[in-house]
Amino acid sequence: MQWLPNTVPPLRQAPGEFMVKTGEEALLDSVRRRTPQVVETGAAQTLAVGYGLTFGSLYTLLRPQGGSPCVDGVILGIANWATGYLGWLPALGLIPPVWQQKAPQAIAPIAEHALYGIVTVARYDWLRERAISE
């Protein structure tokens, strides 16, 4: 969000990067040293996508008939946001608690996650309808 820098949450470290580094600590030194940076970067980015896919998958299990993108989507997005921003991100020290952030830093991720939820539910509904009509 380079065009709105005041809305960027104060992440101390990207979550995917943190998980990759933590996982690497379990590896032998010889393996860790030979792991290319591109592999580490790719793994960190894949973890972020996997996090979003996990919530989308949970939605399909809980609401197999789909639902309103505006209602279900916002709920899905806020649940995703709350799990991270109120849960594991501050618990791991990757981000300060929401109440210690500036308002734009706290509000922007909520809006981003709500949009993610709306798009996810709308896409699921579209795919489900296509599968039914075929």
Side-chain angles (χ1 to χ4, degrees):
M1 301 203 53
Q2 293 176 349
W3 47 278
L4 291 172
N6 293 335
T7 64
V8 176
L11 280 173
R12 294 183 178 115
Q13 184 177 17
E17 181 183 306
F18 171 81
M19 289 184 258
V20 168
K21 294 295 181 194
T22 302
E24 277 188 325
E25 291 173 7
L27 298 174
L28 296 172
D29 258 357
S30 60
V31 175
R32 195 176 328 151
R33 283 193 305 266
R34 289 185 302 175
T35 305
Q37 182 62 41
V38 68
V39 171
E40 293 178 16
T41 302
Q45 291 173 347
T46 300
L47 286 168
V49 171
Y51 185 70
L53 289 173
T54 298
F55 274 83
S57 298
L58 289 173
Y59 175 78
T60 67
L61 293 173
L62 295 172
R63 299 280 287 174
Q65 299 304 313
S68 164
C70 290
V71 175
D72 286 11
V74 169
I75 292 170
L76 174 65
I78 298 301
N80 185 313
W81 170 83
T83 301
Y85 284 77
L86 299 178
W88 67 274
L89 291 170
L92 292 174
L94 295 176
I95 194 167
V98 172
W99 56 88
Q100 293 178 359
Q101 298 175 30
K102 296 175 185 167
Q105 292 174 320
I107 294 169
I110 295 170
E112 291 169 354
H113 282 77
L115 181 60
Y116 148 80
I118 291 168
V119 170
T120 299
V121 171
R123 185 68 173 170
Y124 174 65
D125 287 347
W126 181 80
L127 289 169
R128 193 174 86 40
E129 289 299 320
R130 267 186 78 119
I132 289 171
S133 67
E134 289 182 3

